[in-house]
Amino acid sequence: QIQLVESGGGLVQAGGSLTLSCAASGRTGSPHVLAWVRQAPGKEREFVGGIRWIGGSGNPVYTDSVKGRFTIARDIAKNTLYLRMDSLKPEDTAVYYCASKRGNVVIATIAQYEYWGQGTQVTVSS
């Protein structure tokens, strides 16, 4: 199993920036993918982006709506995943979750992610 704990959420004005962290523990040495997923009020969960945790180039995959604004980074030594969010918009307001799935392929299918953190709230004011 993998345990995930998010932090760093908060209130920010439109155009501002925020960085979220996801601390991973447990079987972090096995091949898996870590991803960020968000859920806005009244909407379904949405894949934001993900990265292969061990090996590979470490190039993240993003959903189109955040490309160029959000950046995913990994620190394997610290077992921590980051989500740097720039040029935030009110429509980015959501609970942001860190999620994990076994394997090496980053996919956007939410149902394939087995382990989830508790989420952290991000609110962007206009």
Side-chain angles (χ1 to χ4, degrees):
Q1 280 194 337
I2 292 176
Q3 293 78 43
L4 305 167
V5 179
E6 305 95 335
S7 61
L11 174 64
V12 62
Q13 288 188 333
S17 299
L18 204 60
T19 298
L20 307 182
S21 299
C22 171
S25 60
R27 297 189 62 183
T28 57
S30 59
H32 61 280
V33 167
L34 283 183
W36 289 100
V37 174
R38 66 184 179 185
Q39 186 167 23
K43 295 188 177 181
E44 295 185 350
R45 290 188 178 184
E46 175 192 25
F47 174 84
V48 174
I51 189 169
R52 181 175 172 179
W53 190 245
I54 296 175
S57 62
N59 290 330
V61 175
Y62 302 97
T63 193
D64 287 345
S65 62
V66 306
K67 283 181 181 177
R69 299 190 300 122
F70 288 12
T71 303
I72 289 174
R74 64 183 184 180
D75 187 331
I76 295 175
K78 294 183 178 180
N79 279 335
T80 302
L81 179 74
Y82 301 97
L83 179 65
R84 167 76 178 188
M85 303 182 290
D86 296 313
S87 302
L88 281 163
K89 306 174 182 179
E91 50 264 43
D92 293 318
T93 294
V95 177
Y96 284 72
Y97 298 91
C98 184
S100 174
K101 63 176 282 292
R102 284 173 285 184
N104 291 322
V105 180
V106 179
I107 59 174
T109 307
I110 304 299
Q112 294 295 317
Y113 288 83
E114 304 164 89
Y115 305 109
W116 294 79
Q118 81 288 351
T120 186
Q121 176 70 47
V122 172
T123 303
V124 184
S125 62
S126 57

